[in-house]
Amino acid sequence: MATRLSAHEVKGVFEKISTWGKWGKEDELGALNYITPYKRAAAARLVQRGETVSLALPLATQSSPENPQPVQHMMLSAGAPGVAALDYFSIASHGMAHTHLDALCHVFWQGKMYNGFSEREVGRFGARRCAIDITRDGIVSRGVLLDIPKLKNVEWLEPGEAIDADDLDAAEKLHHVNVNEGDVLLIRTGRHQRRKAKGPWDVRRTGLPGLDATCLQWLSDRKVAVLGCDAVSDVIPSAFGNEIAMPIHVGTLVIMGIHLIDNADFDALANAAAHNDRYEFLFTMAPLILEHGTASPVNPLAVF
Amino acid sequence: MATRLSAHEVKGVFEKISTWGKWGKEDELGALNYITPYKRAAAARLVQRGETVSLALPLATQSSPENPQPVQHMMLSAGAPGVAALDYFSIASHGMAHTHLDALCHVFWQGKMYNGFSEREVGRFGARRCAIDITRDGIVSRGVLLDIPKLKNVEWLEPGEAIDADDLDAAEKLHHVNVNEGDVLLIRTGRHQRRKAKGPWDVRRTGLPGLDATCLQWLSDRKVAVLGCDAVSDVIPSAFGNEIAMPIHVGTLVIMGIHLIDNADFDALANAAAHNDRYEFLFTMAPLILEHGTASPVNPLAVF
Amino acid sequence: MATRLSAHEVKGVFEKISTWGKWGKEDELGALNYITPYKRAAAARLVQRGETVSLALPLATQSSPENPQPVQHMMLSAGAPGVAALDYFSIASHGMAHTHLDALCHVFWQGKMYNGFSEREVGRFGARRCAIDITRDGIVSRGVLLDIPKLKNVEWLEPGEAIDADDLDAAEKLHHVNVNEGDVLLIRTGRHQRRKAKGPWDVRRTGLPGLDATCLQWLSDRKVAVLGCDAVSDVIPSAFGNEIAMPIHVGTLVIMGIHLIDNADFDALANAAAHNDRYEFLFTMAPLILEHGTASPVNPLAVF
Amino acid sequence: MATRLSAHEVKGVFEKISTWGKWGKEDELGALNYITPYKRAAAARLVQRGETVSLALPLATQSSPENPQPVQHMMLSAGAPGVAALDYFSIASHGMAHTHLDALCHVFWQGKMYNGFSEREVGRFGARRCAIDITRDGIVSRGVLLDIPKLKNVEWLEPGEAIDADDLDAAEKLHHVNVNEGDVLLIRTGRHQRRKAKGPWDVRRTGLPGLDATCLQWLSDRKVAVLGCDAVSDVIPSAFGNEIAMPIHVGTLVIMGIHLIDNADFDALANAAAHNDRYEFLFTMAPLILEHGTASPVNPLAVF
């Protein structure tokens, strides 16, 4: 089993895996650079059955212990005779309830975001660098699912339970798949199965399962383009306290420029992958073009 | 040239092209039923270069004559030292400014929505039938662009200018493409070129170019699954006054169960299609899963 | 005890007490016309101790069975070094949770609002007649509290429990006060005491205490300018089913042009009134100037 | 004429006029402590004619150069037959467009708010100290208007034009009024007259008239309870650059605990005061009870 790292060691890893400057000083795409046209075309050729699977939760309009800021949905016209039905919604995309894509400007480490841009590039009116609209032409690539509860033969991982690099290796073997350059890597923890069985919990206090800091080197080696999780990728609570509250968020968004999908839903995907006996598929996702924004709600798709 | 129809004739067309009951009394998918797994798999095989093109406008956060209800975007945290950057946005998706997908519950005709469901299925808390979440697994199919300004050798169609069924036939010939069952048909009017040249205008008063009512029979014959436009598909103002304010909206959403993409942006797509000399491509779109909702903002993608 | 009225009789009362036309065809002030400068000056002279009491609940930001649409409160800046703290809130003022003033355009009876204006004066962009901004210069008058639980020697009235005209007479006697022309009449049901003791309930289903339809004639006789309640003035559920769902709302807002304060909090006021042994006081309230709006959240004050 | 102060001298004034600790270590009311019940009762006795005047602008729902974040007002039901009219609005109260009351937690100086509370008392979920709900029982006192354009015999003061302590003295003489302990002091600059004549301008760039830093000692001497202005009290741009961007905001909110009313409208008040030949009146204002909030929109009233 991979040994737990100290906070000091994690900082060492950050230095080692940094991609700052790799694609030029002005680059804001980060690891999306790994997704070449060739990679996309190859991903499209994975489609055989023409079956699509949503990887998103419905927009959560009810408050709950895990959703203190629900999506607000209101009818503006309920359709009186002769009149159309109209509505409105609002969303604070971040947090631990809504399926969303984090922009690279979302998190800072030592005053910097990805590629060394200053946190001062984010102000009252949004981000001038690494905003979510950098993804305006969508993210289309090969998706790979690693179903960790299946690996561990449990229904779900418990809050606070860590997935380490050895687990990722083992899941690859189990699923007969190899994560490689430009892939969108999706990690299933089974979080939503636990909620269905036990009801929602306060994820900030009770925690969530997620990747151990040992996975950072692994993600770097494999040149992952995007990381997604049905939880928030990081183990909650952090093994490093406030010193490094979210090592995966920092190591991916800031250090390697890897965009993160938080709070996805991979339950249907796990079923489809098992049923097709195939853990790779065409992945497609098109964030809304929110200029200067720090995130977008998304509904990523897997196509088998 | 196709002859203009009278209001009476349009109502006759509605009766002739209706798909109510075609896929069962309880069906809420409408023309999405035309998109089979086989169709999707074939669409994926269109991908050759691995090039993606967004078909959406950026979320319009500034008010303008065409955008009286702008998207509201606010920072919730601008990223103080050690703190993440967070934001929030709200959107009234309908209208003539934001790229969005209309749910089949959006419009009524004589008190009914698609498949004869009563307008009373829509109330203060949303739609119980034909809400936008019916598209939760995304819409993946062949996309076909018909570039009407290119056909007419103009930069844009003028407000109020109508496209008729003959134009659609002619555009197919020009582009060497045939629209058929399950296609996502995208009609370019050049609207945004006009705005770039002349500034925004009050589209409700001054109008928009769009499809003539003669196109309804054509859409029915070709078994189009989804219709999209860089304007709102209907000519504004209507040729039929208040009697049939939006014949295309009624004929598609209500009568045939065809979902509509309004206010898309096909300028980059037109360039890509011309450059590739190919007007068909993989189309993928994943509306947000807004249960009971009447629309979703979308960022549809074309993949060449 | 006053006899319960039939629906037919209530409609008869509506005809008898109507003030339509009383202040001219174009009048939008309704019973606010009863508040003369002389009345205001006399009300100011009631101030002796210089003690103020709020009559509002805090804005309810948490959802609960009685508050399905909570106020949304978000920080826009939490005050990084050198930066101000900023926030934002949104409110759907109506319903049964927030202390608000109903504009006369809020409710219709047979297609009409106060003074016979058509319901068509209210459209997608608000009300052209009888909007809340008619109260822009505030409402300053004599306030009178009738504390019904005190009269009935209970802690609170139960959901569905009716207050009739005889109760109003009896409360006046108990409190040594006479309601008369231009007064702001405040009816305490003890609703919030019940919530504190038993927790919130679904007021739409379980009901609320309120005024019986017999009170309408009484309100007309006394020439009340504004009516306020810690519930919503009407008994819920209605004694008349859907035929007249809210007879007090219709009889006041529509028929007599009496503005209504819903969901106020009179618990502190009841204490102050008992302590001062005085149930009349200077009342002052200044709705926000929301042009075309149907309501405003308010914080009315009593000054002793 | 009062001499302009240096930034160093302003900091000296801050030390001299500080009221931290004056009303106890835990005090959050600040200068509102000057408003005694006796003061309120005396203020009520100023009412003679029973005339009320609003001191607020209508909620500004249209964007303009001075209003980049307009109030969002939407109908939730436009009143179909038998259905009530309902609406919704949202407001970011601060800035330079909406009439609002600043809470004492709104601004920090050297990491502190009023009474030395740390800026860390304000976080993602609002303020734990000195939030706007401290004013829940309303602010009722004597109001005094100083009409500076009238003093200077101009229609309005220009952006950037400063009012100094000598001007305040002179205005008192002109109006035959003396500002003293517990008063709500209202300073008219004529800003809205300028807008009516010349159209809105970008107040952040072009500036606003307001009080010079010399006025701080004056406000301290007079023991003003609340300060209001039709602009934002501070001269924009600051005479001290970023070093002290808003000396009046800091000196009042932070140093003396004086709440500020920004963006009021004193044009009707000036007419009423001139007409009554009286610049003192009953002032009443009841902010919404937004717990943890940093401001509330208000509609303050003057009663003559």
PDB file of all heavy atoms in Angstrom, chain D residues 51-72:
ATOM      1  N   GLU D  51     -47.488  65.878   7.494  1.00  0.00           N
ATOM      2  CA  GLU D  51     -47.074  65.665   6.101  1.00  0.00           C
ATOM      3  C   GLU D  51     -45.860  64.737   6.078  1.00  0.00           C
ATOM      4  O   GLU D  51     -44.911  64.956   6.825  1.00  0.00           O
ATOM      5  CB  GLU D  51     -46.699  67.042   5.526  1.00  0.00           C
ATOM      6  CG  GLU D  51     -46.324  67.087   4.075  1.00  0.00           C
ATOM      7  CD  GLU D  51     -45.745  68.482   3.704  1.00  0.00           C
ATOM      8  OE1 GLU D  51     -45.899  69.433   4.516  1.00  0.00           O
ATOM      9  OE2 GLU D  51     -45.150  68.595   2.640  1.00  0.00           O
ATOM     10  N   THR D  52     -45.899  63.697   5.224  1.00  0.00           N
ATOM     11  CA  THR D  52     -44.758  62.777   5.140  1.00  0.00           C
ATOM     12  C   THR D  52     -44.023  62.939   3.813  1.00  0.00           C
ATOM     13  O   THR D  52     -44.645  63.212   2.781  1.00  0.00           O
ATOM     14  CB  THR D  52     -45.196  61.297   5.247  1.00  0.00           C
ATOM     15  OG1 THR D  52     -45.988  60.967   4.116  1.00  0.00           O
ATOM     16  CG2 THR D  52     -45.978  61.034   6.522  1.00  0.00           C
ATOM     17  N   VAL D  53     -42.722  62.758   3.857  1.00  0.00           N
ATOM     18  CA  VAL D  53     -41.896  62.857   2.655  1.00  0.00           C
ATOM     19  C   VAL D  53     -40.944  61.668   2.619  1.00  0.00           C
ATOM     20  O   VAL D  53     -40.235  61.405   3.588  1.00  0.00           O
ATOM     21  CB  VAL D  53     -41.062  64.160   2.658  1.00  0.00           C
ATOM     22  CG1 VAL D  53     -40.232  64.259   1.377  1.00  0.00           C
ATOM     23  CG2 VAL D  53     -41.949  65.378   2.823  1.00  0.00           C
ATOM     24  N   SER D  54     -40.939  60.952   1.495  1.00  0.00           N
ATOM     25  CA  SER D  54     -39.985  59.857   1.320  1.00  0.00           C
ATOM     26  C   SER D  54     -38.600  60.405   1.032  1.00  0.00           C
ATOM     27  O   SER D  54     -38.454  61.373   0.283  1.00  0.00           O
ATOM     28  CB  SER D  54     -40.415  58.970   0.154  1.00  0.00           C
ATOM     29  OG  SER D  54     -39.359  58.098  -0.203  1.00  0.00           O
ATOM     30  N   LEU D  55     -37.588  59.756   1.591  1.00  0.00           N
ATOM     31  CA  LEU D  55     -36.204  60.164   1.341  1.00  0.00           C
ATOM     32  C   LEU D  55     -35.460  59.136   0.490  1.00  0.00           C
ATOM     33  O   LEU D  55     -34.229  59.103   0.463  1.00  0.00           O
ATOM     34  CB  LEU D  55     -35.482  60.371   2.679  1.00  0.00           C
ATOM     35  CG  LEU D  55     -36.221  61.221   3.716  1.00  0.00           C
ATOM     36  CD1 LEU D  55     -35.379  61.387   4.973  1.00  0.00           C
ATOM     37  CD2 LEU D  55     -36.606  62.586   3.157  1.00  0.00           C
ATOM     38  N   ALA D  56     -36.223  58.273  -0.196  1.00  0.00           N
ATOM     39  CA  ALA D  56     -35.593  57.190  -0.962  1.00  0.00           C
ATOM     40  C   ALA D  56     -35.835  57.343  -2.452  1.00  0.00           C
ATOM     41  O   ALA D  56     -36.865  57.853  -2.884  1.00  0.00           O
ATOM     42  CB  ALA D  56     -36.135  55.836  -0.515  1.00  0.00           C
ATOM     43  N   LEU D  57     -34.888  56.843  -3.225  1.00  0.00           N
ATOM     44  CA  LEU D  57     -35.093  56.643  -4.653  1.00  0.00           C
ATOM     45  C   LEU D  57     -35.951  55.408  -4.873  1.00  0.00           C
ATOM     46  O   LEU D  57     -35.917  54.478  -4.058  1.00  0.00           O
ATOM     47  CB  LEU D  57     -33.744  56.400  -5.337  1.00  0.00           C
ATOM     48  CG  LEU D  57     -32.735  57.550  -5.301  1.00  0.00           C
ATOM     49  CD1 LEU D  57     -31.366  57.049  -5.755  1.00  0.00           C
ATOM     50  CD2 LEU D  57     -33.210  58.682  -6.199  1.00  0.00           C
ATOM     51  N   PRO D  58     -36.678  55.353  -5.981  1.00  0.00           N
ATOM     52  CA  PRO D  58     -37.286  54.064  -6.348  1.00  0.00           C
ATOM     53  C   PRO D  58     -36.187  53.027  -6.539  1.00  0.00           C
ATOM     54  O   PRO D  58     -35.064  53.390  -6.909  1.00  0.00           O
ATOM     55  CB  PRO D  58     -37.974  54.363  -7.680  1.00  0.00           C
ATOM     56  CG  PRO D  58     -38.126  55.846  -7.736  1.00  0.00           C
ATOM     57  CD  PRO D  58     -36.980  56.412  -6.948  1.00  0.00           C
ATOM     58  N   LEU D  59     -36.479  51.777  -6.269  1.00  0.00           N
ATOM     59  CA  LEU D  59     -35.498  50.718  -6.520  1.00  0.00           C
ATOM     60  C   LEU D  59     -35.133  50.774  -8.004  1.00  0.00           C
ATOM     61  O   LEU D  59     -36.012  50.741  -8.871  1.00  0.00           O
ATOM     62  CB  LEU D  59     -36.079  49.352  -6.156  1.00  0.00           C
ATOM     63  CG  LEU D  59     -36.367  49.134  -4.662  1.00  0.00           C
ATOM     64  CD1 LEU D  59     -36.933  47.730  -4.426  1.00  0.00           C
ATOM     65  CD2 LEU D  59     -35.140  49.346  -3.794  1.00  0.00           C
ATOM     66  N   ALA D  60     -33.843  50.845  -8.296  1.00  0.00           N
ATOM     67  CA  ALA D  60     -33.403  51.078  -9.671  1.00  0.00           C
ATOM     68  C   ALA D  60     -33.234  49.756 -10.395  1.00  0.00           C
ATOM     69  O   ALA D  60     -32.276  49.024 -10.167  1.00  0.00           O
ATOM     70  CB  ALA D  60     -32.099  51.866  -9.664  1.00  0.00           C
ATOM     71  N   THR D  61     -34.181  49.450 -11.276  1.00  0.00           N
ATOM     72  CA  THR D  61     -34.204  48.152 -11.948  1.00  0.00           C
ATOM     73  C   THR D  61     -33.525  48.180 -13.313  1.00  0.00           C
ATOM     74  O   THR D  61     -33.429  47.147 -13.965  1.00  0.00           O
ATOM     75  CB  THR D  61     -35.657  47.661 -12.120  1.00  0.00           C
ATOM     76  OG1 THR D  61     -36.378  48.662 -12.831  1.00  0.00           O
ATOM     77  CG2 THR D  61     -36.316  47.427 -10.777  1.00  0.00           C
ATOM     78  N   GLN D  62     -33.075  49.341 -13.743  1.00  0.00           N
ATOM     79  CA  GLN D  62     -32.389  49.420 -15.027  1.00  0.00           C
ATOM     80  C   GLN D  62     -30.907  49.688 -14.808  1.00  0.00           C
ATOM     81  O   GLN D  62     -30.545  50.504 -13.963  1.00  0.00           O
ATOM     82  CB  GLN D  62     -32.979  50.559 -15.878  1.00  0.00           C
ATOM     83  CG  GLN D  62     -34.452  50.383 -16.186  1.00  0.00           C
ATOM     84  CD  GLN D  62     -34.751  49.101 -16.934  1.00  0.00           C
ATOM     85  OE1 GLN D  62     -34.068  48.774 -17.893  1.00  0.00           O
ATOM     86  NE2 GLN D  62     -35.746  48.343 -16.483  1.00  0.00           N
ATOM     87  N   SER D  63     -30.072  49.022 -15.564  1.00  0.00           N
ATOM     88  CA  SER D  63     -28.648  49.307 -15.434  1.00  0.00           C
ATOM     89  C   SER D  63     -28.344  50.666 -16.049  1.00  0.00           C
ATOM     90  O   SER D  63     -29.038  51.130 -16.956  1.00  0.00           O
ATOM     91  CB  SER D  63     -27.815  48.208 -16.085  1.00  0.00           C
ATOM     92  OG  SER D  63     -28.091  48.133 -17.454  1.00  0.00           O
ATOM     93  N   SER D  64     -27.345  51.320 -15.519  1.00  0.00           N
ATOM     94  CA  SER D  64     -26.916  52.623 -16.014  1.00  0.00           C
ATOM     95  C   SER D  64     -25.481  52.787 -15.559  1.00  0.00           C
ATOM     96  O   SER D  64     -24.974  51.975 -14.784  1.00  0.00           O
ATOM     97  CB  SER D  64     -27.801  53.731 -15.438  1.00  0.00           C
ATOM     98  OG  SER D  64     -27.379  54.057 -14.134  1.00  0.00           O
ATOM     99  N   PRO D  65     -24.811  53.840 -16.033  1.00  0.00           N
ATOM    100  CA  PRO D  65     -23.410  54.009 -15.620  1.00  0.00           C
ATOM    101  C   PRO D  65     -23.242  54.067 -14.104  1.00  0.00           C
ATOM    102  O   PRO D  65     -22.205  53.704 -13.588  1.00  0.00           O
ATOM    103  CB  PRO D  65     -23.017  55.333 -16.271  1.00  0.00           C
ATOM    104  CG  PRO D  65     -23.910  55.448 -17.454  1.00  0.00           C
ATOM    105  CD  PRO D  65     -25.216  54.823 -17.034  1.00  0.00           C
ATOM    106  N   GLU D  66     -24.257  54.522 -13.373  1.00  0.00           N
ATOM    107  CA  GLU D  66     -24.107  54.563 -11.913  1.00  0.00           C
ATOM    108  C   GLU D  66     -24.705  53.326 -11.253  1.00  0.00           C
ATOM    109  O   GLU D  66     -24.622  53.174 -10.051  1.00  0.00           O
ATOM    110  CB  GLU D  66     -24.741  55.836 -11.331  1.00  0.00           C
ATOM    111  CG  GLU D  66     -26.240  55.909 -11.473  1.00  0.00           C
ATOM    112  CD  GLU D  66     -26.843  57.189 -10.874  1.00  0.00           C
ATOM    113  OE1 GLU D  66     -26.103  58.037 -10.370  1.00  0.00           O
ATOM    114  OE2 GLU D  66     -28.078  57.318 -10.927  1.00  0.00           O
ATOM    115  N   ASN D  67     -25.294  52.446 -12.033  1.00  0.00           N
ATOM    116  CA  ASN D  67     -26.005  51.304 -11.469  1.00  0.00           C
ATOM    117  C   ASN D  67     -25.655  50.020 -12.208  1.00  0.00           C
ATOM    118  O   ASN D  67     -26.481  49.443 -12.928  1.00  0.00           O
ATOM    119  CB  ASN D  67     -27.518  51.561 -11.543  1.00  0.00           C
ATOM    120  CG  ASN D  67     -28.314  50.498 -10.823  1.00  0.00           C
ATOM    121  OD1 ASN D  67     -27.779  49.772  -9.989  1.00  0.00           O
ATOM    122  ND2 ASN D  67     -29.594  50.395 -11.145  1.00  0.00           N
ATOM    123  N   PRO D  68     -24.421  49.522 -12.027  1.00  0.00           N
ATOM    124  CA  PRO D  68     -24.022  48.315 -12.758  1.00  0.00           C
ATOM    125  C   PRO D  68     -24.716  47.051 -12.256  1.00  0.00           C
ATOM    126  O   PRO D  68     -24.760  46.066 -12.978  1.00  0.00           O
ATOM    127  CB  PRO D  68     -22.512  48.237 -12.505  1.00  0.00           C
ATOM    128  CG  PRO D  68     -22.283  49.003 -11.243  1.00  0.00           C
ATOM    129  CD  PRO D  68     -23.329  50.075 -11.202  1.00  0.00           C
ATOM    130  N   GLN D  69     -25.247  47.082 -11.039  1.00  0.00           N
ATOM    131  CA  GLN D  69     -25.957  45.912 -10.507  1.00  0.00           C
ATOM    132  C   GLN D  69     -27.385  46.305 -10.171  1.00  0.00           C
ATOM    133  O   GLN D  69     -27.728  46.501  -9.006  1.00  0.00           O
ATOM    134  CB  GLN D  69     -25.254  45.381  -9.251  1.00  0.00           C
ATOM    135  CG  GLN D  69     -23.925  44.700  -9.551  1.00  0.00           C
ATOM    136  CD  GLN D  69     -23.439  43.884  -8.356  1.00  0.00           C
ATOM    137  OE1 GLN D  69     -23.327  44.392  -7.251  1.00  0.00           O
ATOM    138  NE2 GLN D  69     -23.145  42.614  -8.578  1.00  0.00           N
ATOM    139  N   PRO D  70     -28.246  46.419 -11.192  1.00  0.00           N
ATOM    140  CA  PRO D  70     -29.613  46.865 -10.918  1.00  0.00           C
ATOM    141  C   PRO D  70     -30.390  45.862 -10.074  1.00  0.00           C
ATOM    142  O   PRO D  70     -30.055  44.686 -10.028  1.00  0.00           O
ATOM    143  CB  PRO D  70     -30.230  46.979 -12.322  1.00  0.00           C
ATOM    144  CG  PRO D  70     -29.394  46.132 -13.200  1.00  0.00           C
ATOM    145  CD  PRO D  70     -28.013  46.140 -12.621  1.00  0.00           C
ATOM    146  N   VAL D  71     -31.392  46.366  -9.392  1.00  0.00           N
ATOM    147  CA  VAL D  71     -32.372  45.491  -8.741  1.00  0.00           C
ATOM    148  C   VAL D  71     -33.030  44.657  -9.828  1.00  0.00           C
ATOM    149  O   VAL D  71     -33.365  45.169 -10.896  1.00  0.00           O
ATOM    150  CB  VAL D  71     -33.422  46.333  -7.989  1.00  0.00           C
ATOM    151  CG1 VAL D  71     -34.622  45.499  -7.597  1.00  0.00           C
ATOM    152  CG2 VAL D  71     -32.786  46.987  -6.763  1.00  0.00           C
ATOM    153  N   GLN D  72     -33.173  43.364  -9.551  1.00  0.00           N
ATOM    154  CA  GLN D  72     -33.816  42.468 -10.500  1.00  0.00           C
ATOM    155  C   GLN D  72     -35.260  42.259 -10.028  1.00  0.00           C
ATOM    156  O   GLN D  72     -35.473  41.818  -8.904  1.00  0.00           O
ATOM    157  CB  GLN D  72     -33.053  41.147 -10.505  1.00  0.00           C
ATOM    158  CG  GLN D  72     -33.285  40.298 -11.728  1.00  0.00           C
ATOM    159  CD  GLN D  72     -32.440  39.039 -11.729  1.00  0.00           C
ATOM    160  OE1 GLN D  72     -32.119  38.505 -10.668  1.00  0.00           O
ATOM    161  NE2 GLN D  72     -32.100  38.533 -12.900  1.00  0.00           N
TER     162      GLN D  72
END
